[in-house]
Amino acid sequence: MVHVFELNGYYIALDVNSGSIHCLDEVTYDIISACNNFLKELSDGTIKEAILEEFQDIYDEDIVNEAWDEILELRRQGLLFSEELDE
């Protein structure tokens, strides 16, 4: 589970399962907020298309793609949208 919030002008994401805290730019914050409901399907191409469509009038497509790639890399590293650990 990832919690995102804004505090004093900073955009922050907390990955509860890994304990990772990330300071984000506004684009990445918006994307994580939008796809927070798709935790298990984050790498699915259809979600990326939906994200691109949602933000097409707000952000440049290249910026959204770059933020998306960073989110996926953090996920691959287990630092964002990480799996819940069994105790």
Side-chain angles (χ1 to χ4, degrees):
M1 173 176 282
V2 176
H3 295 285
V4 288
F5 52 96
E6 181 183 357
L7 180 65
N8 295 329
Y10 292 98
Y11 298 100
I12 301 167
L14 168 63
D15 183 87
V16 175
N17 296 330
S18 71
S20 298
I21 301 171
H22 305 278
C23 189
L24 311 168
D25 60 16
E26 186 175 5
V27 177
T28 307
Y29 172 86
D30 287 345
I31 292 171
I32 291 173
S33 296
C35 68
N36 227 347
N37 296 327
F38 304 110
L39 298 178
K40 294 181 181 174
E41 304 170 51
L42 186 61
S43 61
D44 183 5
T46 59
I47 296 170
K48 182 178 180 181
E49 291 172 13
I51 294 295
L52 285 170
E53 184 177 327
E54 182 170 339
F55 294 110
Q56 69 183 352
D57 296 331
I58 301 169
Y59 302 115
D60 183 69
E61 184 176 341
D62 291 336
I63 293 172
V64 173
N65 281 321
E66 182 179 338
W68 181 261
D69 291 343
E70 290 173 4
I71 291 167
L72 290 180
E73 181 58 32
L74 288 170
R75 183 170 188 225
R76 278 190 277 276
Q77 293 175 13
L79 299 173
L80 194 62
F81 295 107
S82 61
E83 299 292 325
E84 187 173 350
L85 299 175
D86 292 330
E87 293 189 35

